[in-house]
């Protein structure tokens, strides 16, 4: 694997390898000294053309924990505001010697263009492109599901076969949903998308997922996990953009609240990629309940991104000895 551009590019074996490696990385992060020498001398560029809190910080943390040099580039405050193109920005960063470029861009396909353009010689990692893909989010979600639902604390070697996951909300605008549907299918889970008809993408019947327009009915089918999606108001022309009559009605029909939480199976967990619209797609009771693993998803993101950077940069077949842990790439 030279780049990570889409969850669809991952075979079952590659996905499980990343999740297993993330488990090893997580074990190193429980130590007092969290830093590994693995990527010493390598340079990771974080190239963010779109806002981010979790993804940007966790890629930076992951690269630093692996001892890579990190260059953070944010389009805001850069020469992009003077009209500089993606090509010239990439060539400038390549001149600094990037071994990996982590890119978030508002345009679907920008990471693919970067990976195949020759503008950078490094590995390209998609940190979210338009409404298209967010593969490391899907990987950290799968890692979180695996930890909670596939066996007590020892997820090694397991996939998500037979798990039932409901993905609820603004599917239309969600790269998280697209990546999750593909990766969860690869890992053997059964996915149901739950959304108002206006927020279901055209062509969804070709996706490996069921579609429901009724959240209460979907909860009655006893899913193992519910993944709430953010209503992406910035991708709608006004507050609801005509996609739903009013925020109140959206919450009533598709919001996860205390009543719906109580109707879920006892073992079921609640995920949300963040940032959350509290009071719209998820109530404070649901977001802060013990069944919500939303903060843990963020922590797991560091281990998963360490695994991705490690596997991309250390080369297939390489073995790296750390002070206390052997990690196979
Ligand atoms: N989940 C996610 O991508 O969050 P950020 O936009 O804060 O990175």
């Amino acid at each position: 694997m030279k780049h990570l551009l889409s969850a669809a590019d991952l075979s079952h074996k590659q996905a499980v390898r990343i999740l297993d490696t993330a488990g090893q990385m997580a074990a190193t992060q429980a130590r007092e000294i969290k830093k590994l020498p693995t990527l010493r001398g390598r340079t990771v560029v974080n190239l963010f053309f779109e806002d981010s809190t979790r993804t940007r910080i966790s890629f930076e943390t992951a690269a630093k924990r692996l001892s890579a040099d990190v260059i953070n580039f944010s389009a805001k405050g850069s020469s992009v505001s003077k009209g500089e193109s993606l090509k010239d920005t990439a060539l400038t960063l390549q001149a600094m010697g990037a071994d990996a470029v982590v890119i978030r861009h508002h345009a679907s396909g920008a990471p693919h263009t970067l990976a195949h353009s020759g503008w950078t010689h490094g590995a390209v990692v998609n940190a979210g492109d338009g409404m298209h893909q967010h593969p490391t989010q899907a990987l950290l979600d799968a890692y979180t599901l695996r930890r909670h639902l596939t066996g007590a604390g020892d997820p090694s070697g397991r996939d998500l076969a037979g798990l039932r996951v409901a993905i609820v909300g603004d599917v239309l605008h969600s790269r998280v949903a697209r990546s999750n549907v593909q990766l969860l299918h690869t890992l053997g889970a059964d996915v149901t998308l739950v959304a108002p008809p206006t927020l279901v993408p055209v062509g969804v019947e070709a996706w490996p997922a069921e579609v429901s327009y009724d959240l209460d009915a979907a909860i009655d089918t006893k899913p193992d996990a519910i993944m709430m999606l953010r209503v992406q108001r910035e991708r709608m022309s006004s507050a609801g953009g005509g996609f739903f009559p009013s925020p109140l009605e959206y919450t009533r029909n598709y919001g996860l609240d205390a009543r719906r939480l109580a109707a879920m199976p006892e073992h079921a967990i609640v995920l949300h990629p963040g940032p959350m619209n509290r009071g719209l797609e998820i109530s404070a009771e649901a977001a802060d309940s013990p069944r919500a693993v939303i903060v843990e998803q963020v922590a797991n993101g560091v281990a998963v991104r360490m695994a991705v950077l490690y596997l991309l940069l250390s080369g297939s077949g390489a073995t790296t000895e750390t002070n206390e842990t052997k990690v196979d790439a």
Side-chain angles (χ1 to χ4, degrees):
M1 190 170 73
K2 165 119 174 71
H3 308 289
L4 178 57
L5 303 177
S6 167
D9 296 340
L10 292 172
S11 66
H12 181 276
K13 189 174 168 194
Q14 286 171 322
V16 169
R17 182 77 174 278
I18 293 170
L19 300 180
D20 286 345
T21 307
Q24 293 176 281
M25 292 296 176
T28 70
Q29 297 309 291
R31 297 181 196 156
E32 196 178 334
I33 302 199
K34 297 180 169 49
K35 204 154 180 155
L36 306 175
T38 315
L39 297 184
R40 193 178 286 152
R42 303 298 191 99
T43 300
V44 174
V45 173
N46 290 322
L47 189 54
F48 276 67
F49 290 85
E50 203 185 61
D51 293 344
S52 168
T53 299
R54 280 148 284 271
T55 311
R56 186 173 56 78
I57 291 172
S58 83
F59 265 114
E60 180 177 353
T61 306
K64 286 181 172 170
R65 297 265 168 93
L66 293 169
S67 301
D69 295 320
V70 181
I71 298 171
N72 287 315
F73 171 93
S74 171
K76 275 190 195 129
S78 76
S79 289
V80 170
S81 59
K82 301 174 198 161
E84 189 160 38
S85 65
L86 173 61
K87 175 178 178 175
D88 289 328
T89 304
L91 290 172
T92 301
L93 292 165
Q94 185 55 43
M96 317 265 179
D99 294 296
V101 179
V102 176
I103 177 170
R104 169 169 289 195
H105 204 284
H106 44 81
S108 296
H112 185 275
T113 301
L114 187 61
H116 296 100
S117 60
W119 304 333
T120 177
H121 306 308
V124 175
V125 183
N126 184 355
D129 60 329
M131 302 191 305
H132 179 224
Q133 281 286 315
H134 195 350
T136 60
Q137 178 69 45
L139 284 162
L140 76 87
D141 292 338
Y143 181 85
T144 306
L145 291 167
R146 199 190 200 205
R147 271 185 55 78
H148 280 271
L149 299 172
T150 66
D154 177 21
S156 183
R158 293 173 198 257
D159 60 15
L160 304 179
L163 281 189
R164 301 171 67 242
V165 182
I167 301 179
V168 182
D170 184 359
V171 178
L172 178 65
H173 299 107
S174 179
R175 55 196 177 207
V176 173
R178 285 170 177 79
S179 286
N180 261 297
V181 167
Q182 288 167 337
L183 185 66
L184 290 170
H185 176 67
T186 299
L187 291 171
D190 295 322
V191 180
T192 301
L193 298 168
V194 186
T198 48
L199 290 173
V200 174
V202 172
V204 76
E205 54 283 352
W207 297 17
E210 299 290 317
V211 178
S212 167
Y213 305 115
D214 185 334
L215 178 54
D216 291 310
I219 290 174
D220 283 345
T221 67
K222 309 286 178 213
D224 300 295
I226 294 196
M227 185 182 295
M228 300 306 297
L229 298 173
R230 182 170 67 87
V231 174
Q232 299 197 32
R233 286 180 285 197
E234 77 280 15
R235 299 193 201 273
M236 302 174 183
S237 51
S238 60
F243 290 97
F244 44 84
S246 71
L248 187 63
E249 189 160 330
Y250 182 88
T251 302
R252 193 178 300 132
N253 290 326
Y254 294 100
L256 186 65
D257 57 13
R259 179 183 66 79
R260 289 185 170 129
L261 197 65
M264 287 169 55
E266 215 165 289
H267 71 278
I269 58 172
V270 175
L271 298 94
H272 192 303
M276 290 182 277
N277 295 306
R278 282 175 183 256
L280 183 55
E281 72 265 5
I282 190 164
S283 71
E285 294 99 315
D288 298 331
S289 91
R291 313 174 63 175
V293 294
I294 297 162
V295 177
E296 189 192 319
Q297 285 173 267
V298 178
N300 291 341
V302 175
V304 164
R305 286 162 179 140
M306 285 175 77
V308 166
L309 291 173
Y310 171 71
L311 290 169
L312 286 173
L313 291 182
S314 62
S316 160
T319 298
T320 301
E321 297 274 357
T322 67
N323 285 343
E324 296 167 44
T325 305
K326 190 173 142 191
V327 181
D328 296 320

